[in-house]
């Protein structure tokens, strides 16, 4: 197995070399516990890489009201030097994270987000740089979320492959309040399977116990790796890895887990029911439970229902019969209703009346930026019809915006959108950008050799 590039860009990069060495050592000895990691966390090159990560991700201020620009005014080198001394002397203490709530797209629910102070985000990023290669050596192929060189489309490809093999009974579930419900003691026990360095364990415990500030009050719960923390996705994967390694593919089907979202591809209804029972048991053993509203068993069949997973709706369809050839049954996918509604809401927000005083070029650039990002994700699917609808909606909204801005008829707006000359601002087209998924070829077009091992 190739060592994943979990950080850095150049083979001569000392931070990447450190990560490679840690990965190789962990891979070579699955029972090894690492005891000399603390000095690596406060290495200046590691902290510099951590700062680059935090700066690239931008982010809001923590409760100390210090933002990234203020750190740059103060001097990044000076700031990191002082942070390194605090870590080396054991004087660093994290501040409570600032708790905010953000809307979940397509739902009335709100997701809690915890925003650590900039200095604490840097320490978390440094810890992640050191710890990720160690735990990545243990991670299994069924886990796809928040891992180096793995992503949502890799997980989606497994559904295509396994449905082609005949696994068309699907268990879909979502772990209820996963990031908020992870027990700190059980999490630390999972970390200590690989790490015995007391200084690093002390840092992790301090982060977990820092708590959050909400409405002027500090809460320090005994559970949770709050969303918003740099290290939270890694810690969640370390915790949920216990489910992955306890799973038996032949007995319970193929597990596909993306952080706290999971599906299991099964051959029969009986296997799917056993898989759901097994998954519920494993979650209960970790102090977690599946979200009832999002847990069910789906039978994929032509004309039947489908399922939503990672933003896509998946449904079994039959191709058209051509030249006397038998139609092919395959698992198609396209943007789920929530994803389409989110796109419409965002386009409407970018073209609403309150922005009439902004230059048209700015409006078009904002809409195009959103369309590029949205289409870049959903183009790997059978999404042409939905792309046409979203493209048409964007043109309609822009035409209406132009008509209001110039106090002209909607026909004027449509004429500008349809016949804008070269050099005038125009919306990007989504035609011809769709790539239909194929079994046993990943979304990059390469043969999926790893899929054969899941039989």
């Amino acid at each position: 197995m190739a060592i994943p590039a979990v950080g850095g860009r150049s083979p001569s990069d000392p931070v990447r070399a450190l990560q490679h060495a840690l990965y190789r050592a962990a891979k070579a000895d699955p029972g090894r516990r690492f005891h000399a990691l603390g000095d690596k966390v406060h290495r200046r090159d590691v902290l510099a890489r951590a700062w680059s990560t935090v700066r690239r991700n931008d982010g809001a201020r923590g409760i100390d009201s210090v933002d990234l620009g203020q750190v740059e005014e103060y001097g990044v080198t000076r700031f990191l030097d002082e942070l390194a001394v605090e870590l080396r002397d054991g004087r660093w203490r994290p501040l409570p994270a600032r708790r905010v709530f953000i809307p979940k797209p397509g739902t009335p629910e709100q997701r809690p987000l915890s925003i650590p102070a900039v200095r604490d985000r840097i320490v978390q990023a440094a810890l992640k740089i050191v710890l990720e290669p160690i735990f990545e050596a243990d991670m299994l192929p069924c886990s796809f979320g928040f891992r180096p060189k793995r992503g949502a489309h890799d997980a989606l490809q497994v559904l295509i492959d396994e449905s082609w093999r005949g696994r068309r009974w699907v268990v879909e579930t979502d772990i209820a309040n996963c990031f908020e419900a992870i027990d700190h003691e059980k999490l630390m026990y999972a970390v200590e399977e690989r790490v015995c360095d007391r200084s690093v364990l002390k840092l992790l415990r301090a982060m977990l116990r820092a708590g959050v500030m909400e409405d002027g009050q500090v809460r320090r719960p005994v559970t949770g790796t709050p969303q918003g923390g740099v290290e939270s996705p890694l810690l969640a994967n370390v915790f949920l890895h216990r489910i992955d390694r306890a799973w038996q593919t032949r007995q319970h089907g193929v597990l596909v887990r993306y952080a706290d979202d999971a599906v299991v591809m099964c051959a029969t209804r009986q296997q799917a029911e056993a898989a759901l029972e097994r998954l519920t048991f494993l979650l209960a053993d970790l102090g977690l439970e599946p979200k009832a509203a999002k847990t069910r068993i789906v039978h994929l069949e032509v004309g039947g229902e489908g399922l939503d997973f990672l933003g896509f709706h998946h449904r079994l369809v039959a191709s058209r019969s051509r030249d006397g050839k038998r139609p092919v049954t395959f698992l198609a996918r396209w943007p789920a209703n929530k994803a389409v509604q989110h796109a419409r809401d965002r386009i409407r927000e970018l073209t609403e009346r309150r922005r009439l005083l902004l230059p048209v070029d700015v409006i078009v650039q904002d809409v195009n930026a959103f369309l590029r990002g949205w289409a870049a994700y959903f183009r790997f699917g059978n999404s042409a019809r939905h792309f046409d609808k979203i493209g048409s909606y964007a043109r309609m909204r822009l035409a209406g915006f132009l008509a209001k801005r110039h106090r002209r008829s909607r026909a004027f707006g449509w004429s500008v959108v349809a016949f804008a000359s070269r050099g005038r601002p125009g919306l990007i087209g989504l035609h011809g950008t769709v790539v239909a998924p194929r079994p046993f070829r990943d979304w990059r077009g390469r043969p999926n050799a790893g899929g054969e091992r899941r039989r």
Side-chain angles (χ1 to χ4, degrees):
M1 173 181 176
I3 298 173
V6 291
R9 297 180 181 277
S10 167
S12 61
D13 183 344
V15 176
R16 186 173 181 182
L18 167 66
Q19 292 183 302
H20 275 233
L22 291 171
Y23 179 90
R24 286 194 298 267
K27 199 70 176 176
D29 185 358
R32 177 175 175 176
R33 299 177 70 210
F34 289 77
H35 65 278
L37 299 175
D39 60 321
K40 298 170 178 59
V41 174
H42 57 70
R43 264 176 44 170
R44 279 294 283 106
D45 54 350
V46 171
L47 287 175
R49 177 63 49 76
W51 160 256
S52 298
T53 301
V54 171
R55 188 68 185 89
R56 184 170 59 250
N57 293 337
D58 205 357
R61 306 179 182 190
I63 65 169
D64 60 355
S65 298
V66 175
D67 62 22
L68 298 168
Q70 289 173 303
V71 172
E72 291 173 330
E73 290 179 9
Y74 183 78
V76 174
T77 300
R78 177 183 173 190
F79 186 84
L80 295 182
D81 285 342
E82 293 173 357
L83 191 56
V85 172
E86 286 186 39
L87 289 168
R88 185 171 61 249
D89 295 345
R91 293 186 288 108
W92 175 81
R93 296 292 183 274
L95 297 170
R98 182 167 64 88
R99 174 60 60 88
V100 297
F101 292 87
I102 58 175
K104 287 186 177 182
T107 72
E109 300 178 40
Q110 289 192 316
R111 176 184 289 114
L113 189 68
S114 301
I115 305 175
V118 172
R119 61 193 291 277
D120 297 341
R121 296 208 295 270
I122 295 171
V123 176
Q124 290 182 19
L127 262 175
K128 184 172 183 264
I129 288 171
V130 174
L131 294 181
E132 186 172 53
I134 295 171
F135 290 104
E136 180 63 26
D138 296 334
M139 296 294 173
L140 297 174
C142 63
S143 172
F144 294 89
F146 307 110
R147 291 184 57 193
K149 291 193 173 182
R150 291 192 142 221
H153 287 96
D154 299 306
L156 293 167
Q157 184 62 43
V158 178
L159 273 63
I160 299 288
D161 297 346
E162 297 307 322
S163 68
W164 190 265
R165 290 192 175 109
R167 291 189 173 101
R168 294 175 180 174
W169 286 91
V170 185
V171 177
E172 61 168 328
T173 190
D174 183 3
I175 303 173
N177 300 318
C178 177
F179 285 85
E180 299 292 318
I182 292 176
D183 182 89
H184 290 173
E185 290 306 315
K186 290 182 178 180
L187 172 60
M188 291 304 301
Y189 183 80
V191 172
E192 288 168 8
E193 289 185 1
R194 274 301 207 169
V195 177
C196 59
D197 186 299
R198 291 186 178 182
S199 62
V200 169
L201 296 175
K202 182 179 178 181
L203 286 178
L204 283 174
R205 287 188 182 277
M207 290 177 184
L208 294 172
R209 292 171 178 170
V212 295
M213 177 173 286
E214 183 178 348
D215 298 327
Q217 300 292 323
V218 176
R219 295 190 304 106
R220 290 187 170 86
V222 295
T223 62
T225 56
Q227 294 187 65
V230 179
E231 92 294 355
S232 291
L234 172 62
L235 295 179
N237 269 338
V238 171
F239 191 68
L240 296 175
H241 174 66
R242 296 182 164 216
I243 295 175
D244 303 341
R245 70 186 184 189
W247 197 259
Q248 296 293 328
T249 296
R250 291 185 180 274
Q251 184 178 355
H252 296 112
V254 175
L255 173 67
V256 181
R257 184 178 65 77
Y258 192 93
D260 55 346
D261 287 340
V263 298
V264 185
M265 307 292 289
C266 301
T268 65
R269 182 177 186 86
Q270 291 74 19
Q271 188 181 47
E273 290 173 346
L276 179 55
E277 183 179 352
R278 176 65 173 164
L279 189 58
T280 303
F281 172 81
L282 292 173
L283 287 172
D285 192 48
L286 295 177
L288 305 172
E289 61 181 3
K291 187 178 294 184
K294 294 188 176 181
T295 301
R296 61 177 184 148
I297 295 175
V298 179
H299 184 204
L300 297 175
E301 56 183 347
V302 177
E305 61 181 335
L307 73 147
D308 292 350
F309 183 58
L310 299 181
F312 282 93
H313 180 74
H314 306 260
R315 184 168 297 198
L316 203 69
V317 300
S319 65
R320 296 177 181 176
S321 178
R322 295 180 179 177
D323 301 327
K325 296 181 180 179
R326 295 176 59 185
V328 177
T329 301
F330 63 98
L331 187 65
R333 67 171 182 251
W334 51 81
N337 290 338
K338 288 183 180 180
V340 173
Q341 188 59 51
H342 168 65
R344 292 172 64 91
D345 291 345
R346 183 57 179 156
I347 292 169
R348 183 169 58 251
E349 180 183 332
L350 293 172
T351 55
E352 59 188 13
R353 185 181 295 271
R354 66 179 177 83
R355 308 189 82 208
L356 283 175
L357 296 180
L358 293 175
V360 175
D361 286 355
V362 172
I363 302 300
V364 173
Q365 288 172 10
D366 289 347
V367 174
N368 281 344
F370 171 76
L371 289 176
R372 285 191 187 96
W374 191 84
Y377 181 79
F378 288 106
R379 67 186 291 258
F380 297 100
N382 312 88
S383 308
R385 183 167 58 88
H386 292 77
F387 274 26
D388 286 344
K389 289 183 177 180
I390 292 299
S392 296
Y393 183 75
R395 291 191 294 274
M396 183 269 289
R397 289 293 305 182
L398 183 58
F401 179 88
L402 290 169
K404 292 173 186 174
R405 180 180 175 85
H406 295 282
R407 297 182 180 180
R408 303 281 293 273
S409 67
R410 186 173 288 270
F412 167 80
W414 273 111
S415 68
V416 175
V417 171
F419 302 110
S421 61
R422 186 172 300 176
R424 294 283 299 277
L427 292 176
I428 62 172
L430 302 182
H431 300 286
T433 61
V434 172
V435 179
R438 296 171 57 189
F440 312 118
R441 295 189 70 86
D442 72 11
W443 60 282
R444 304 173 189 85
R446 300 184 303 222
N448 184 10
E452 295 300 322
R453 292 194 291 269
R454 286 190 292 268
R455 286 188 179 277

